[in-house]
Amino acid sequence: MAEQRRDQGGGREAREESQVVGAPWGRHVLQEEVRAWEELVATACRTVADGLVVGTSGNVSLRVGDTVLVTPSGVPYDRLTPDDVTGVDLDGRQVLGTLVPTSELPMHLAVHRTTDARAVVHTHAVHATAVSTLVTELPAIHYMTEALGGPVRVAPYATYGSDELAENMLQALTDRSACLLQNHGTMAYGATLDQAYDRTAQLEWMCRLWLTASSVPGLSPSLLSAEQLREVGEKLRGYGQRG
């Protein structure tokens, strides 16, 4: 009986750990979701601090189980608090919070439903957006092109927040972890928010690099061949610390 009581007590502690009681809306928020929301807000604020978005442009999402936490529409990131948690299910039904989710929800859900992404970052980064107006694919100006799966495609323009834009984006993301959105910005995803953010920043840097090199009168930047990118791909598979 003593062991049974201990087991039951442990179950109670686990339930208390898994829920934050007292939320005035929707279901209880899981502790994992609380931590995830804090991480999401920090990443959203980072996009502003690093100049990847201006004002309330851009948005971030993070999947926890079958719930997608997402930045709300039209709210400056530095004003978000733990009570502003906003979440939807994979069909887009709001399950957490009262703030309206980002208008770009169709793009975020399309990525979460069709890839193994846990995190998605969308920005209006200036150099990347400029490149999206000039080409249909970012030229292979640097070997880190391969870190995003290969030459980064530009998704054809469609109205923001539309299903058409989400579909165009998915096509551009085929075998890639990032793409450009024509006359709009960037979209990148990853297994973590840090990875999705790093891919976003890397894409913006490569766009800036290409624009800078292309601006020299009378000269054209050298580009990497498909074979050179394949060689880089082999090396990247063994990159980083082991164990």
Side-chain angles (χ1 to χ4, degrees), residues 64-150:
V64 180
D66 290 331
T67 299
V68 177
L69 304 180
V70 64
T71 47
S73 178
V75 180
Y77 298 145
D78 61 357
R79 297 183 190 173
L80 291 175
T81 72
D83 291 336
D84 294 324
V85 61
T86 306
V88 300
D89 64 19
L90 291 171
D91 292 322
R93 291 185 291 264
Q94 188 154 0
V95 295
L96 288 174
T98 58
L99 295 178
V100 176
T102 173
S103 58
E104 297 291 10
L105 187 61
M107 281 204 299
H108 286 265
L109 290 180
V111 174
H112 285 293
R113 285 195 295 250
T114 60
T115 74
D116 59 357
R118 183 168 178 264
V120 179
V121 175
H122 165 54
T123 79
H124 294 177
V126 63
H127 298 95
T129 305
V131 169
S132 79
T133 70
L134 298 171
V135 295
T136 58
E137 182 179 275
L138 174 63
I141 190 71
H142 193 272
Y143 66 78
M144 285 303 287
T145 296
E146 191 63 20
L148 300 178

Side-chain angles (χ1 to χ4, degrees), residues 43-225:
T43 299
C45 289
R46 187 180 176 191
T47 65
V48 177
D50 290 351
L52 297 176
V53 304
V54 176
T56 60
S57 65
N59 24 77
V60 180
S61 67
L62 182 61
R63 181 173 174 176
V64 180
D66 290 331
T67 299
V68 177
L69 304 180
V70 64
T71 47
S73 178
V75 180
Y77 298 145
D78 61 357
R79 297 183 190 173
L80 291 175
T81 72
D83 291 336
D84 294 324
V85 61
T86 306
V88 300
D89 64 19
L90 291 171
D91 292 322
R93 291 185 291 264
Q94 188 154 0
V95 295
L96 288 174
T98 58
L99 295 178
V100 176
T102 173
S103 58
E104 297 291 10
L105 187 61
M107 281 204 299
H108 286 265
L109 290 180
V111 174
H112 285 293
R113 285 195 295 250
T114 60
T115 74
D116 59 357
R118 183 168 178 264
V120 179
V121 175
H122 165 54
T123 79
H124 294 177
V126 63
H127 298 95
T129 305
V131 169
S132 79
T133 70
L134 298 171
V135 295
T136 58
E137 182 179 275
L138 174 63
I141 190 71
H142 193 272
Y143 66 78
M144 285 303 287
T145 296
E146 191 63 20
L148 300 178
V152 177
R153 305 182 187 98
V154 178
Y157 179 82
T159 304
Y160 80 92
S162 66
D163 291 336
E164 181 184 3
L165 178 58
E167 180 57 34
N168 291 349
M169 174 210 63
L170 283 182
Q171 292 296 322
L173 281 175
T174 302
D175 299 323
R176 302 289 187 268
S177 56
C179 72
L180 297 173
L181 307 171
Q182 190 177 51
N183 296 83
H184 188 153
T186 69
M187 200 71 172
Y189 69 85
T192 65
L193 272 174
D194 280 344
Q195 187 179 58
Y197 181 87
D198 288 347
R199 287 170 172 170
T200 301
Q202 188 69 58
L203 177 54
E204 167 67 355
W205 179 83
M206 287 193 296
C207 287
R208 184 177 182 182
L209 175 63
W210 182 72
L211 287 172
T212 301
S214 299
S215 69
V216 179
L219 295 175
S220 297
S222 63
L223 302 175
L224 299 177
S225 67

